Amino acid sequence: MSNRIVLSILYFLIVTNFSFSQYNPNSKQVNIKGIILEKDTNLPLEYATVVFENTADNQLTGGVTDFDGNFNFNVKSGTYNVRFEFISFKTVELKNQTYNSDKDFGTIYLEPDVAQLSGVELIGEKSTVEIKLDKRVYNVGSDMTVRGGTAGDVLNNVPSVTVDPDGTIALRGNESVTVLIDGKPSGLAGINVSDVIKMLPADAIDKVEVITNPSARYNAEGSGGIINIVMKKGKTNGLNGSLVGFVGDPETYGFNSNINYKTDDFNVFSNFGYRYRTNRGQAKINSTYYDSDTPEVNDITGYMNERRTNEDIDNGYNANFGIDWNLTSSLSWTNSVSFRENSEKNPQNVYMDYFDENKIYEQTRNRFSDQKEEDYVIEYATNFTKKFKKEDHILTADFSVSKNHDVETAIITDVVLNSTNAPLIENTLNDRTRNRLLAQTDYVLPIGENGRFEAGYRGDFATTLTDFQITPNTVYSNFLEYVEDVNALYMQYGNKINKFSYFLGLRWEDSHIEVNSITDSDYNTKKYNNFFPTATFNYEVNKDNTFSLSYSRRIRRPRGRFVNPFSTYTSNVNLFQGNPDLDPTFTHAIELGYLLKASKLTLNSSVYTNLTDKSFQFIRKESGNFVDGVPVLIYTPINLAKEMRTGFEFNVNYSPFKWWRFNTNLNLYSVITRGDYTYVDYQDQIVTQNFDNDAFTWFARLNSKVNLPYKIDWQTNVFYRGPQKTAQGKRLSMTNISMALSKDILKDKATLSLNVNNMFNTMKRRVETNIFDVATSDAEFQWRKRTVMFSFTYRFNRKKESDRDRKGNGGDDGGDIMG
């Protein structure tokens, strides 16, 4: 789509929406104030909403409570239906109330309502982590260590989530994770999930929701669960926004803007950012090779030490523009256009030192890969929301279309140093295009006092073309077409009976998958449809203690590099090769949880088990090819028989003092794998490998935030991941420590921040591998070294919501989204 077409769409949206808006002159203003507390505990409810609906024209206005539960705002005199609301609490409603003078409501008490298992969540810069029964919510605005960073920096601080240095995302150690943006699959997530890590700016993200056992409303993809990234979107009337500029070392600079204009009839929201970033990385692999013909004597045939260095330079921008339009008092229409473009240079220099069986030096081979990448994504999305007369009776319809295009090129020079042989020069091209269309509708019907029925449809249709070429050596070239069409229907019902509540759901998904290797004329089509039941049961012992039990069936479909026969060629002796014959895996997820709420502490613990059939495992095996006598090893995924993942998770939010708040996350889990893999090697010998493996590991995260004098905040994040056995070796431990300081200036309209990530350069992936009868190796990979970032944030007509000071009328974040 050309820039002219994009600009025409934006101009049409602006003109259309502003034409239908109208200016209403202010009449007499009356002041509304009061305080909202939780019944029984008398604790203030921060970010509770007060909604005034004018009975004459159905226009909405209102405010949001501050840290102490207070609300204070002005409305036009008139007759209103008034609602006092808070997530998972029963709404207090006053109908046909006339206000011609100032009104002090005094104290309003709200009572918890556990039956609202899938309700409305308020958006705002609260404590960094909120703990709920069915999810953890990480509020990005409260985290100083990610300012000027990317979505990868954000996810690195989210409870239950780990991000490897190579961009691999895992939830409770499980890499089968679905990443959503604003509750839906999105083209902004890129062709690979790792694209989100590198390119989505942290300053454009409002919060991240972690859902470990999703209901039937969510797609069944991802045996580990769902990570939902919620983008920023202003809610305050008038023109408001924020501007963020940043500069750092290694050379990094850029800015991000979030500007909104809202009236009673429409809300125009936008986000634009530019980023230049340099990452310096390195890797080393020490390998020992054995004579596979005599495995019983373990004869060593040679050694190779491989060293890699790279400098990744990213240069790109992102833009998002949209309009919420209130067509009537009960019908709204949202349109948005998002665009992202990125240019990347990543030269890699690889030195391979060869030694004989006695460790006597033989030669050094150098491979220099001059890699470049250009990519863009454009997405149009629209949403209709119809609210009926009964509270929470809602019908929504969503449609989006997106295109991703990603082109990677590399010129590879391979030469033996101090040799008379001419260098070998190869060119690679990896051209990927994905077109995606999403259609979705959801219906919510309250039944009785506490009942809730939901039903919906989702159609997700995507085609990805990958053209991978190597010249002059074309043995690894391949053109792949991957088609994934999934139609889904779901329904679920929930209710509350005294202290017991439940939510039962059933989802049906019909999958049509094509993996077509055009080069080899190898066409594979797989069709399957499956039912995915879900169930959640809650028991409220008292107002402070609640137990939950949940179950869901999940699926993991192989895609991307998992099914592409060849997609990388950095090293000519260690190759990654996809497997087009991979089958999907199915997981039964069971979780028992406990939630404790106290005045200064919130605790959530859970015991969980995931039982997976045909789980994905990665193996290394000989390809049959040799380079200078060294066997070329293939790293490829396969389906194994069974995997059982069992763990315990512990989350705590604690504020021992008003000036100190911290949260911690501890996850301990074991992975038991059972299965044999049989294949025919390059010598036509049948090889059977046993992959039975029992592994135990754990990771922990601590986030501490201290309010110092003179409006200075100090934040420290510590992360540790323990070692873990694998089917062919061991993954070693990893530690990361980050720290940040911030200072409010200009009457709290601006903030200066300084943060240091990977402070001690310990964010490294270290792996020990034992390839049966062929080779052993130990490897260390570091994609990003220590970074220092300085940022300046300026807010206009938008009040900062911080841990230190939450006075005022709620700033811009008084809106809501459907969970």
Side-chain angles (χ1 to χ4, degrees), residues 418-449:
N418 302 319
S419 171
T420 58
N421 295 332
L424 173 65
I425 299 177
E426 296 176 305
N427 294 274
T428 68
L429 168 71
N430 192 359
D431 190 336
R432 296 175 295 177
T433 302
R434 184 180 71 175
N435 294 294
R436 186 173 195 170
L437 184 148
L438 175 71
Q440 177 178 337
T441 182
D442 299 285
Y443 178 68
V444 180
L445 174 65
I447 299 176
E449 181 179 357

Side-chain angles (χ1 to χ4, degrees), residues 227-257:
I227 298 174
N228 181 32
I229 299 175
V230 180
M231 307 302 291
K232 285 184 176 178
K233 187 174 176 182
K235 292 292 183 179
T236 297
N237 278 355
L239 180 66
N240 63 89
S242 63
L243 303 173
V244 179
F246 55 88
V247 61
D249 179 70
E251 186 180 8
T252 300
Y253 55 84
F255 72 92
N256 197 77
S257 67

Side-chain angles (χ1 to χ4, degrees), residues 191 376 402-407 430-436 462-467 479-482:
I191 297 177
Y376 74 85
S402 64
K403 180 178 181 178
N404 300 69
H405 189 211
D406 183 5
V407 179
N430 192 359
D431 190 336
R432 296 175 295 177
T433 302
R434 184 180 71 175
N435 294 294
R436 186 173 195 170
T463 299
T464 303
L465 301 176
T466 303
D467 185 8
F479 187 84
L480 185 79
E481 178 189 48
Y482 177 79

Side-chain angles (χ1 to χ4, degrees), residues 483-693:
V483 178
E484 182 179 302
D485 295 338
V486 180
N487 288 280
L489 297 170
Y490 78 91
M491 64 174 59
Q492 54 188 11
Y493 175 76
N495 209 330
K496 180 183 179 182
I497 304 172
N498 298 322
K499 294 184 177 183
F500 174 77
S501 60
Y502 62 91
F503 216 51
L504 306 176
L506 183 64
R507 186 178 185 90
W508 175 80
E509 292 189 353
D510 179 75
S511 305
H512 175 92
I513 310 296
E514 296 181 21
V515 183
N516 301 322
S517 177
I518 309 300
T519 303
D520 297 332
S521 298
D522 183 11
Y523 300 93
N524 298 274
T525 299
K526 297 185 178 183
K527 298 181 180 180
Y528 44 88
N529 57 78
N530 309 95
F531 288 97
F532 300 93
T534 63
T536 300
F537 305 94
N538 289 343
Y539 181 74
E540 182 183 2
V541 180
N542 52 46
K543 63 181 183 300
D544 298 326
N545 297 270
T546 304
F547 288 91
S548 67
L549 177 65
S550 60
Y551 164 82
S552 67
R553 186 173 187 245
R554 313 288 297 164
I555 187 174
R556 184 185 186 186
R557 300 178 181 90
R559 57 170 65 91
R561 74 188 194 117
F562 274 63
V563 296
N564 193 346
F566 291 100
S567 60
T568 59
Y569 194 60
T570 302
S571 170
N572 62 343
V573 293
N574 291 290
L575 300 178
F576 180 90
Q577 179 177 326
N579 181 2
D581 294 325
L582 274 182
D583 292 322
T585 70
F586 294 92
T587 298
H588 299 278
I590 305 169
E591 183 169 346
L592 175 65
Y594 169 68
L595 179 64
L596 167 67
K597 292 183 178 180
S599 59
K600 294 183 178 182
L601 179 142
T602 303
L603 180 150
N604 172 245
S605 61
S606 59
V607 178
Y608 59 90
T609 296
N610 290 357
L611 304 174
T612 302
D613 294 323
K614 296 184 178 180
S615 66
F616 298 153
Q617 298 291 328
F618 288 91
I619 67 162
R620 289 185 186 272
K621 62 181 181 179
E622 290 182 285
S623 67
N625 298 321
F626 295 82
V627 176
D628 294 333
V630 174
V632 176
L633 301 180
I634 298 294
Y635 186 56
T636 187
I638 61 171
N639 287 111
L640 275 182
K642 296 285 185 181
E643 180 185 275
M644 183 172 71
R645 184 182 298 265
T646 303
F648 170 77
E649 187 169 39
F650 186 79
N651 296 277
V652 174
N653 277 3
Y654 182 52
S655 300
F657 308 101
K658 288 186 177 180
W659 49 268
W660 184 22
R661 171 180 294 174
F662 70 85
N663 60 74
T664 183
N665 169 240
L666 173 66
N667 201 307
L668 305 95
Y669 61 93
S670 67
V671 181
I672 300 175
T673 305
R674 294 291 182 265
D676 295 322
Y677 176 65
T678 301
Y679 67 97
V680 179
D681 67 9
Y682 69 98
Q683 296 177 328
D684 292 328
Q685 299 294 317
I686 298 177
V687 179
T688 299
Q689 298 180 5
N690 179 266
F691 284 85
D692 290 355
N693 184 58

Side-chain angles (χ1 to χ4, degrees), residues 192-204:
N192 293 318
V193 174
S194 59
D195 293 340
V196 179
I197 298 298
K198 296 192 301 181
M199 302 173 191
L200 198 62
D203 298 306

Side-chain angles (χ1 to χ4, degrees), residues 49-252:
T49 54
V50 184
V51 180
F52 272 58
E53 181 180 0
N54 196 304
T55 58
D57 56 14
N58 293 319
Q59 294 299 319
L60 300 178
T61 187
V64 183
T65 58
D66 62 19
F67 182 78
D68 298 315
N70 296 305
F71 58 89
N72 191 321
F73 56 88
N74 294 328
V75 299
K76 294 182 292 185
S77 60
T79 302
Y80 293 87
N81 293 326
V82 182
R83 298 192 302 273
F84 303 93
E85 302 174 332
F86 190 65
I87 176 70
S88 297
F89 282 70
K90 293 181 180 179
T91 299
V92 173
E93 187 170 6
L94 305 174
K95 293 192 175 183
N96 296 316
Q97 303 292 308
T98 300
Y99 302 100
N100 294 317
S101 59
D102 295 348
K103 172 65 175 178
D104 184 352
F105 281 91
T107 302
I108 302 295
Y109 292 98
L110 296 186
E111 181 181 356
D113 185 359
V114 183
Q116 294 180 347
L117 301 178
S118 181
V120 174
E121 285 201 56
L122 301 179
I123 299 177
E125 294 182 335
K126 321 170 201 180
S127 62
T128 307
V129 177
E130 296 175 73
I131 300 174
K132 303 178 183 297
L133 265 177
D134 59 342
K135 69 181 73 173
R136 258 81 67 199
V137 181
Y138 170 81
N139 295 291
V140 179
S142 297
D143 191 345
M144 301 181 295
T145 64
V146 301
R147 290 174 185 168
T150 66
D153 301 312
V154 171
L155 294 179
N156 245 331
N157 292 340
V158 175
S160 308
V161 178
T162 55
V163 182
D164 267 355
D166 62 352
T168 301
I169 304 172
L171 182 54
R172 291 174 168 173
N174 191 337
E175 296 177 5
S176 176
V177 180
T178 295
V179 177
L180 306 177
I181 295 182
D182 289 331
K184 300 180 291 294
S186 173
L188 295 179
I191 297 177
N192 293 318
V193 174
S194 59
D195 293 340
V196 179
I197 298 298
K198 296 192 301 181
M199 302 173 191
L200 198 62
D203 298 306
I205 301 173
D206 183 78
K207 65 180 180 180
V208 177
E209 299 174 336
V210 176
I211 308 171
T212 55
N213 220 354
S215 71
R217 181 174 185 174
Y218 295 96
N219 56 334
E221 180 74 32
S223 60
I226 289 175
I227 298 174
N228 181 32
I229 299 175
V230 180
M231 307 302 291
K232 285 184 176 178
K233 187 174 176 182
K235 292 292 183 179
T236 297
N237 278 355
L239 180 66
N240 63 89
S242 63
L243 303 173
V244 179
F246 55 88
V247 61
D249 179 70
E251 186 180 8
T252 300

